[in-house]
Amino acid sequence: SYELTQPPSVSVLLGQTASITCSGDKLAEKDVSWYQQKPGQSPVVVLYQDRKRPSGIPERFSGSNSGNTATLTISGTQAMDEADYYCQAWDRSGVFGGGTKLTVL
Amino acid sequence: EVQLVESGGGLAQPGGSLRLSCEVSGFSFNTYEMNWVRQAPGKGLEWVSYISSNGSTKFYADSVKGRFTISRDNAKNSLYLQLNSLRAEDTAVYYCARVRPPGYYMDVWGKGTTVTVSS
């Protein structure tokens, strides 16, 4: 079965740029979505089709997908961005990465 | 306002059954594909099942195949997940989510319903 791999944790200084990676075999051939989940809340999509932002998602969220790796980038990270982030793709079934806890220092 | 409201969770014994429901409002349910996603306590998200807009196509995670059944009633704006032969590892919050093509991402999520499997 298809697998997506994320680092368990990423730390970033307030106002700096955070990057969260998601790796999978030939991932660039798939559409990748990214979800933000804060404690006690339901997930919220922050990017879809690798780099598109739903309405209401700040411009500081951006994405890329090349080769075997997709990347979620948060520029000018704010305290409110501290959350768990999950990548997701479709490969004859839905697949989520294991999630990355983003800590804003 | 677009809303998804799950219900039906609770305590079940190993080997038991539950039926989860997801009632939707604020959009044309019969034109959207839907997913169930679960999250075990302290763990990550796990996709569980997918159903097409007319209910003719269904997919399941290997972990639930043969035990769970997804269905929908477009006349009642409702999505369902029948959980049979429950195991301790099925303990989780179960979310329903609206699917948007292309990319099959999930743009609207419910608040979830909690399933606990324990004797």
Side-chain angles (χ1 to χ4, degrees):
Chain A
S1 62
Y2 195 78
E3 293 185 358
L4 295 174
T5 302
Q6 298 180 235
S9 64
V10 168
S11 297
V12 61
L13 294 174
L14 184 67
Q16 298 304 301
T17 298
S19 295
I20 300 174
T21 58
C22 173
S23 299
D25 185 48
K26 299 179 182 178
L27 188 55
E29 297 178 3
K30 308 182 190 302
D31 287 327
V32 175
S33 308
W34 289 91
Y35 300 86
Q36 176 193 69
Q37 187 181 34
K38 297 181 179 179
Q41 297 183 18
S42 302
V44 173
V45 60
V46 294
L47 293 175
Y48 65 97
Q49 286 188 278
D50 303 337
R51 63 183 68 244
K52 297 181 179 179
R53 282 179 292 105
S55 60
I57 300 301
E59 290 185 8
R60 64 179 180 274
F61 288 87
S62 63
S64 64
N65 187 7
S66 178
N68 295 324
T69 303
T71 304
L72 168 67
T73 302
I74 309 173
S75 305
T77 306
Q78 300 186 10
M80 68 173 66
D81 300 329
E82 186 164 286
D84 294 328
Y85 290 86
Y86 297 88
C87 59
Q88 180 252 322
W90 186 265
D91 182 76
R92 291 176 292 181
S93 67
V95 182
F96 283 97
T100 300
K101 181 176 181 59
L102 178 67
T103 300
V104 181
L105 303 173
Chain B
E1 181 190 5
V2 174
Q3 267 196 316
L4 308 177
V5 180
E6 302 93 337
S7 61
L11 177 64
Q13 292 193 336
S17 298
L18 284 174
R19 189 194 195 206
L20 308 184
S21 299
C22 171
E23 188 170 338
V24 316
S25 58
F27 65 97
S28 299
F29 178 62
N30 61 357
T31 65
Y32 284 87
E33 300 153 278
M34 300 292 293
N35 277 339
W36 285 99
V37 175
R38 69 184 180 182
Q39 186 169 34
K43 302 297 184 181
L45 301 174
E46 179 187 14
W47 172 82
V48 173
S49 186
Y50 157 94
I51 189 167
S52 60
S53 57
N54 64 4
S56 63
T57 301
K58 304 173 185 181
F59 297 115
Y60 299 94
D62 289 343
S63 57
V64 307
K65 201 171 295 182
R67 301 188 300 120
F68 290 8
T69 302
I70 192 171
S71 62
R72 64 192 296 160
D73 186 333
N74 286 343
K76 294 184 177 179
N77 286 338
S78 293
L79 173 72
Y80 305 102
L81 187 68
Q82 177 69 40
L83 287 61
N84 295 333
S85 302
L86 282 164
R87 306 167 180 168
E89 54 265 36
D90 296 320
T91 294
V93 175
Y94 285 74
Y95 298 100
C96 61
R98 189 174 77 172
V99 178
R100 296 295 298 275
Y104 292 94
Y105 68 100
M106 290 163 272
D107 69 333
V108 182
W109 296 63
K111 294 188 184 302
T113 187
T114 300
V115 171
T116 303
V117 182
S118 175
S119 55

